[in-house]
Amino acid sequence: MFSTTTNPTPNITLYTSATPNSFKISIALEELALPYTARAVNLTTQEQKEPWLLEYNPNGRLPTLTDHDTRVFESGAILLYLVQKYDPEGRISYKPEETPGYTEMLSWLMWQMGGLGPMQGQAHHFTAFAPVRSSWGIERYTTETRRLYDVLNTRLTESPFLAGDRFTIADIATYSWVRASPNLLDFQLGEWPAIQRWHDGIAGREAVQRALKVPGSSITEDQFAEIVREKRRVLMGWVEADVR
Ligand SMILES: N[C@@H](CCC(=O)N[C@@H](CS)C(=O)NCC(=O)O)C(=O)O
């Protein structure tokens, strides 16, 4: 069984895929310059539901991480684990935990985990991947995602990063989703100038560029974008699903 024993030397394996939630963790690991092994999990063959992986993540999803005899699942919990254990200087978090910056960081991290991630994920589904066309689903989740982008833009108009003047795990979690929206939802980030400024600054970080190459995907991001465009074109051409 797994425990929460602390070990000073990391022995990290990240079970991952080329998806927004997994990229959060590879970005944090690269930002903290931690050694780790990336194990790509094949979502198309449902490898994430295999018993060996359910041992590490009973929810059967990615990402998940092991470190010595500890397992951590849910991307928000993994990010907090990494900064609690391996970020004593506050490189991508605020220390100590009593500081107002830490509380602000937690608030935006939870906003991403409970709001932006699930809503944008549903928008991706209805816009590009659903087996039927549902204008209701597209409208409902795209509208809510756009509302959340308005909230994000307002915050980033008043603050360089989500939790103040420091780049933190709240930015990492949110950026990983925002970067997917031009391809998947056809969002033009220029519509939200503060988001565009923040996005471009993060995209330029060397650690982020390294992280986005982990794990090796069999196709490039451009090829993925083309596949998504084609899926969306086909889906939009379908007649409305009969939802009665
Ligand atoms: N709340 C979870 C969401 C994890 C999640 O939905 N991951 C997706 C990839 S981004 C996944 O594993 N999908 C495969 C499946 O649903 O079986 C987290 O933040 O870790």
Side-chain angles (χ1 to χ4, degrees):
M1 242 359 245
F2 300 96
S3 75
T4 53
T5 321
T6 54
N7 284 287
T9 313
N11 182 17
I12 295 173
T13 301
L14 171 64
Y15 300 88
T16 185
S17 61
T19 53
N21 287 319
S22 288
F23 282 139
K24 293 174 186 174
I25 312 306
S26 43
I27 293 174
L29 289 165
E30 293 290 338
E31 288 283 347
L32 292 172
L34 287 170
Y36 66 103
T37 301
R39 162 68 158 89
V41 174
N42 190 342
L43 292 177
T44 55
T45 61
Q46 298 284 302
E47 198 182 5
Q48 75 279 15
K49 310 292 185 211
E50 290 182 10
W52 68 270
L53 195 53
L54 293 176
E55 279 282 301
Y56 304 141
N57 183 345
N59 199 34
R61 293 198 165 186
L62 301 175
T64 194
L65 179 144
T66 57
D67 184 16
H68 295 274
D69 59 355
T70 300
R71 73 170 187 200
V72 205
F73 60 93
E74 284 292 319
S75 56
I78 299 171
L79 290 171
L80 286 169
Y81 173 84
L82 290 176
V83 297
Q84 274 160 9
K85 191 151 178 189
Y86 296 117
D87 189 20
E89 295 151 15
R91 289 164 75 173
I92 51 168
S93 62
Y94 283 90
K95 298 291 168 93
E97 295 177 2
E98 292 75 28
T99 58
Y102 185 87
T103 307
E104 188 70 11
M105 178 185 88
L106 264 193
S107 300
W108 286 105
L109 178 64
M110 296 305 153
W111 174 85
Q112 190 289 316
M113 289 296 295
L116 185 72
M119 294 302 115
Q120 188 173 329
Q122 293 303 317
H124 288 182
H125 173 79
F126 282 107
T127 307
F129 301 116
V132 293
R133 177 176 164 180
S134 165
S135 299
W136 170 258
I138 294 169
E139 173 69 16
R140 175 176 167 84
Y141 291 108
T142 306
T143 302
E144 175 60 1
T145 303
R146 294 183 70 86
R147 186 192 71 78
L148 291 162
Y149 275 47
D150 290 343
V151 172
L152 179 62
N153 194 60
T154 301
R155 173 59 181 159
L156 292 171
T157 301
E158 65 192 23
S159 174
F161 295 106
L162 283 171
D165 58 9
R166 191 175 302 184
F167 173 70
T168 70
I169 54 174
D171 300 288
I172 292 174
T174 306
Y175 166 78
S176 299
W177 279 87
V178 167
R179 68 179 288 279
S181 68
N183 278 347
L184 278 144
L185 302 177
D186 214 12
F187 280 10
Q188 311 295 319
L189 293 184
E191 217 183 296
W192 298 277
I195 294 181
Q196 179 87 69
R197 184 252 320 142
W198 165 89
H199 168 277
D200 293 352
I202 297 174
R205 296 173 76 94
E206 285 181 12
V208 171
Q209 289 166 9
R210 281 196 304 277
L212 296 176
K213 297 194 182 91
V214 177
S217 169
S218 55
I219 56 170
T220 65
E221 294 240 320
D222 285 347
Q223 287 167 329
F224 177 70
E226 187 49 44
I227 291 168
V228 168
R229 263 196 296 277
E230 178 59 14
K231 276 182 185 283
R232 289 181 50 214
R233 201 185 58 73
V234 170
L235 196 144
M236 292 304 168
W238 286 347
V239 290
E240 190 71 18
D242 184 348
V243 291
R244 282 169 300 169

